[in-house]
Amino acid sequence: MEQQMMKRMIQKCFLQYEHSVESVPLNDRDYEKLYSEIMERYQRNESAEIYELVEDVVYEFLVG
């Protein structure tokens, strides 16, 4: 999946967790780390829905 599209999905997920566009606490390295984690999980389970993987990874980032 294209990395820019994934970045927008990650941003939207942060908005669901009550962050504003300005308060999304990520730099480029964080986005790369989240993207890598999402893609790794997808490769292990290609039947998974990408949006569910994004939500899981973002949630873990926020609570971890």
Side-chain angles (χ1 to χ4, degrees):
M1 173 169 272
E2 183 184 328
Q3 199 164 358
Q4 279 300 97
M5 183 175 184
M6 184 70 69
K7 185 175 181 177
R8 287 189 295 269
M9 290 176 74
I10 291 168
Q11 288 171 335
K12 286 181 182 183
C13 193
F14 272 99
L15 295 176
Q16 289 177 304
Y17 288 113
E18 303 300 322
H19 283 275
S20 67
V21 174
E22 296 82 27
S23 74
V24 175
L26 299 174
N27 56 39
D28 288 336
R29 187 172 35 171
D30 291 331
Y31 278 113
E32 179 63 38
K33 182 178 176 185
L34 292 174
Y35 175 78
S36 295
E37 178 65 26
I38 292 163
M39 295 312 295
E40 181 180 309
R41 291 183 186 195
Y42 182 69
Q43 289 173 352
R44 287 189 304 225
N45 183 9
E46 292 185 5
S47 64
E49 297 288 335
I50 290 289
Y51 73 90
E52 290 177 353
L53 296 174
V54 170
E55 289 178 2
D56 290 346
V57 170
V58 169
Y59 178 79
E60 290 170 11
F61 178 85
L62 290 171
V63 297

